[in-house]
Amino acid sequence: MDIIVLMKQVPDTEAPVEISASADRLETEDLKWAINPYDEFALEEALLIKEAREDVTVTVISVGPDRVAEAIRVAYAMGVDNAIHINDEFEEEAFAATDAHTTAAILSKVLDDTPYDLIISGNRGVDDDNYQVPAFVARMRDIPMINMVTRQEIQGNEIICDQAVDGGIATVKAALPALITANKGMNEPRYPAFRAIMKARKQKVDERELSDIGLAPADLVPKVKIRSLAYPPERADGKLVNGANAAQKAKELIRLLKEEANVI
Amino acid sequence: MAKEILIVTEIWNGDFRKISLEALSAGRHLADDTGAALTALVMGENVADKAEALAAHGADTVLVAENPGLASFRPCEFENLVTAVIKEKQPGIVIFGATRQGRELSAGVAARTKAGLAPECTGLFIEAGRLVATRPMYGGKVIATVDIEGEIQMVSIRPNVFEIKEAAGEGKIETLAVDLGEANVTLLEEKIEMATRVELTEADYIVSGGRGVGSEDFTVIENLARALGGAVGASRNAVDLGWRPQSDQVGQTGKVVSPKLYIACGISGAMQHIAGMSTSDVIVAINTDPDALIFKTSDYCIVEDLFEVVPAITAELEKG
């Protein structure tokens, strides 16, 4: 059984970001990168399936520039079998010109000649919060998609999943091949040891350019274009709520919320 | 006249979600700017009697799709229906709410109609007859202004950001012939606990607890939330420790909230958490550590033991 994990490298959550002089992308030079946290759940789930069965090959596919090799090394250290990296200098040069449509088009094209029974991805990328690439890939491949999965079970040619829905849990099934997206709570991603990451340097990455998969930048027409980026308005310095004891501070807070902030 | 603006509404617990009225108000504003007609799509079981209420928030036409198969959100069936409506009506702009349902539905519909979709928007305006949107990215560290190409411009909007305004539309009601189409995912079972409490993303007041709460006993947090008529949230730490369910988590791997008032109790203020609550109107932080990061993102800072001050705030509120 072939499992594909769609993985994205994103700026590390804790890292500050800087907007480029052109104001349409981030300054990437000193940025710290990490595997998208939801994709870590996807990777872990693929590896758990592999460990529970005899016949599983896990292949990770990632689109992005040179630095994505770092994320792929971590995935190898976790235990994936193969990695395909679409080195997308197109994106690096024109960050603002890619969107979910173009990323999904690249991924779907790779899947033309990569066998799969199950595709797992994070339910969203925490960088652009688009919530679209898995949905687009599933529609392009014309396969079922089950979103925000917290538990899965493969039974013969079907997958049965618990998914988070409003106010509860739904249990659904679909025929394989299918695409599922991982939600928090699905598993606890493993942390590979530094030594395993170093060892993973030796593993082969199937690195392809857009032209290798039969696409040219002109084929990738984005529908959502970033015109400009700006920092959010800064919050004024917080006011320290004073009082000799907790009761006085509570009283003062209520006064401020009523009279100054007008929120209660 | 400009092509119409379509609002895809959402029914929850027997009535419209607040976000649907927010979307209608945002849509009315855009419709007035462009001279377009404003249409609202309502999907569900026994929802026709709800439809008229949408005229009070500016709908010129309400499209009603009723079917027992639409009683709860089934992604394939809803997607088939909305895709068919869009193909037939060819709206210029489609607005969804960025809820659990709206996110999945909008992505599926954008894929099927090959439309550009800007999700999680916090600002919408018209420029040269086209919709332009602003939306937070990178956990709210950056706000992007985006252009959406193509004949149909799609957006989803963040709950609690757009104001609900009364505005009269014609309120013409049109009943749709419903064809649920094919579904490739089958529902086996659904366990829904109908929300008796306020949904986090729609709450005007949120009181959140973190590691500082010290255990799964969130009574002091719950009491204050109740006194405010709000909801209880939690930091990633509190959820990872098993003190609160995942559905309560506020942050980058949880929910993004924009209440009028957010009170963070015993939360250190990791970027993870800030990403989920920085768009709140007013933020109060309570922490014993005067150097806690959370104070950097707060309007009002209380350096105090939460177990002392939170019950005192609750008591003060209950005094009226």
Side-chain angles (χ1 to χ4, degrees):
Chain A
M1 149 164 232
D2 293 299
I3 303 181
I4 305 284
V5 177
L6 305 180
M7 179 179 80
K8 186 178 191 184
Q9 191 185 41
V10 298
D12 188 276
T13 304
E14 299 292 332
V17 300
E18 192 189 330
I19 296 170
S20 72
S22 57
D24 60 357
R25 58 184 189 88
L26 293 187
E27 201 53 75
T28 50
E29 192 122 323
D30 299 318
L31 202 51
K32 259 182 74 187
W33 298 85
I35 295 175
N36 176 37
Y38 286 98
D39 297 349
E40 290 184 329
F41 301 126
L43 279 166
E44 179 64 33
E45 197 65 17
L47 295 169
L48 291 173
I49 299 171
K50 179 181 159 77
E51 284 158 8
R53 298 167 63 115
E54 302 268 294
D55 58 340
V56 174
T57 303
V58 178
T59 301
V60 55
I61 307 179
S62 196
V63 179
D66 292 343
R67 56 175 158 73
V68 168
E70 268 172 58
I72 286 178
R73 268 208 299 280
V74 176
Y76 266 135
M78 286 173 79
V80 306
D81 300 296
N82 307 306
I84 301 173
H85 171 196
I86 306 304
N87 197 324
D88 174 18
E89 289 301 329
F90 169 68
E91 183 174 28
E92 182 66 346
E93 280 165 22
F95 192 82
T98 57
D99 72 345
H101 282 276
T102 56
T103 306
I106 294 170
L107 291 168
S108 182
K109 189 80 178 169
V110 175
L111 291 167
D112 273 348
D113 53 15
T114 310
Y116 59 89
D117 300 291
L118 177 64
I119 303 174
I120 315 181
S121 85
N123 82 64
R124 73 182 211 250
V126 300
D127 51 352
D128 52 19
D129 261 349
N130 254 325
Y131 295 86
Q132 286 170 60
V133 170
F136 287 11
V137 170
R139 300 321 181 278
M140 284 173 179
R141 306 308 304 176
D142 195 19
I143 58 174
M145 165 162 164
I146 304 173
N147 217 355
M148 295 185 77
V149 172
T150 51
R151 188 194 66 88
Q152 60 73 33
E153 193 185 327
I154 296 164
Q155 283 184 6
N157 198 35
E158 284 183 337
I159 187 161
I160 296 168
C161 297
D162 285 348
Q163 63 175 167
V165 293
D166 284 319
I169 297 283
T171 305
V172 298
K173 72 168 181 180
L176 295 175
L179 185 153
I180 67 173
T181 76
N183 195 23
K184 194 182 175 198
M186 193 179 201
N187 53 46
E188 279 295 327
R190 62 195 73 188
Y191 287 101
F194 181 67
R195 258 177 71 177
I197 298 176
M198 294 311 281
K199 218 175 127 194
R201 277 174 192 272
K202 295 196 188 86
Q203 270 167 293
K204 191 180 161 294
V205 177
D206 176 356
E207 188 178 326
R208 307 180 196 176
E209 307 274 325
L210 278 186
S211 55
D212 297 332
I213 59 168
L215 287 175
D219 297 328
L220 303 171
V221 184
K223 301 260 171 62
V224 178
K225 290 184 178 166
I226 294 173
R227 182 192 286 192
S228 62
L229 297 178
Y231 298 107
E234 265 187 60
R235 229 167 248 279
D237 277 349
K239 187 178 258 186
L240 192 66
V241 179
N242 290 310
N245 54 38
Q248 280 186 20
K249 288 177 189 172
K251 203 169 186 161
E252 175 64 359
L253 175 71
I254 296 295
R255 188 190 71 78
L256 289 166
L257 293 179
K258 276 185 181 160
E259 294 170 17
E260 194 175 84
N262 295 316
V263 282
I264 55 172
Chain B
M1 185 151 126
K3 286 171 144 188
E4 68 189 75
I5 296 172
L6 177 69
I7 311 297
V8 179
T9 67
E10 186 175 336
I11 300 270
W12 172 246
N13 231 354
D15 213 339
F16 292 106
R17 273 206 193 275
K18 200 165 113 192
I19 183 71
S20 298
L21 303 182
E22 291 165 4
L24 260 177
S25 293
R28 184 70 256 167
H29 187 72
L30 300 174
D32 292 343
D33 268 6
T34 56
L38 184 66
T39 301
L41 172 63
V42 182
M43 297 171 285
E45 186 185 24
N46 303 326
V47 289
D49 59 328
K50 307 269 175 229
E52 274 174 41
L54 295 179
H57 294 94
D60 295 314
T61 306
V62 182
L63 305 176
V64 180
E66 275 194 310
N67 190 293
L70 300 169
S72 71
F73 177 55
R74 300 313 319 143
C76 299
E77 290 85 342
F78 274 58
E79 183 182 313
N80 291 340
L81 181 60
V82 177
T83 302
V85 169
I86 288 172
K87 286 189 171 160
E88 195 200 320
K89 306 276 173 190
Q90 292 289 319
I93 293 172
V94 184
I95 306 179
F96 297 83
T99 56
R100 160 74 181 84
Q101 170 179 324
R103 283 185 189 115
E104 181 163 4
L105 185 57
S106 57
V109 170
R112 294 267 298 274
T113 55
K114 299 189 168 51
L117 164 65
E120 308 279 316
C121 296
T122 52
L124 301 174
F125 60 95
I126 298 288
E127 195 183 88
R130 303 271 306 165
L131 179 65
V132 183
T134 56
R135 54 182 307 258
M137 289 174 72
Y138 306 102
K141 286 180 245 183
V142 160
I143 308 291
T145 301
V146 301
D147 291 299
I148 307 158
E149 308 289 324
E151 290 291 300
I152 305 173
Q153 299 183 286
M154 281 187 195
V155 293
S156 69
I157 60 169
R158 278 231 166 124
N160 264 9
V161 174
F162 293 85
E163 204 185 329
I164 297 176
K165 287 184 191 153
E166 305 239 325
E170 284 175 46
K172 200 170 62 191
I173 297 192
E174 197 180 309
T175 306
L176 295 176
V178 176
D179 177 5
L180 296 180
E182 282 183 28
N184 55 16
V185 176
T186 312
L187 176 68
L188 299 175
E189 194 189 2
E190 205 165 29
K191 286 183 205 146
I192 307 282
E193 294 167 20
M194 270 304 168
T196 46
R197 52 186 202 154
V198 189
E199 157 63 28
L200 210 48
T201 51
E202 292 181 3
D204 283 333
Y205 302 96
I206 295 175
V207 187
S208 277
R211 194 191 286 275
V213 179
S215 78
E216 61 188 6
D217 182 359
F218 262 52
T219 310
V220 289
I221 308 288
E222 282 163 358
N223 288 346
L224 177 52
R226 195 175 308 118
L228 285 163
V232 174
S235 71
R236 184 173 76 178
N237 279 329
V239 171
D240 286 352
L241 287 160
W243 298 344
R244 300 297 295 183
Q246 159 69 30
S247 54
D248 281 0
Q249 188 182 324
V250 172
Q252 193 150 36
T253 50
K255 288 177 176 165
V256 176
V257 297
S258 311
K260 284 185 193 153
L261 174 63
Y262 188 89
I263 305 182
C265 308
I267 292 174
S268 62
M271 222 36 129
Q272 216 301 330
H273 191 73
I274 305 296
M277 47 64 96
S278 61
T279 49
S280 306
D281 288 347
V282 176
I283 298 171
V284 175
I286 298 165
N287 204 299
T288 46
D289 175 8
D291 298 322
L293 276 173
I294 189 84
F295 289 133
K296 289 197 194 308
T297 320
S298 302
D299 301 293
Y300 298 106
C301 314
I302 301 183
V303 181
E304 185 68 70
D305 181 354
L306 76 94
F307 290 100
E308 300 268 330
V309 80
V310 175
I313 298 168
T314 309
E316 201 59 40
L317 270 174
E318 282 167 349
K319 265 195 242 163

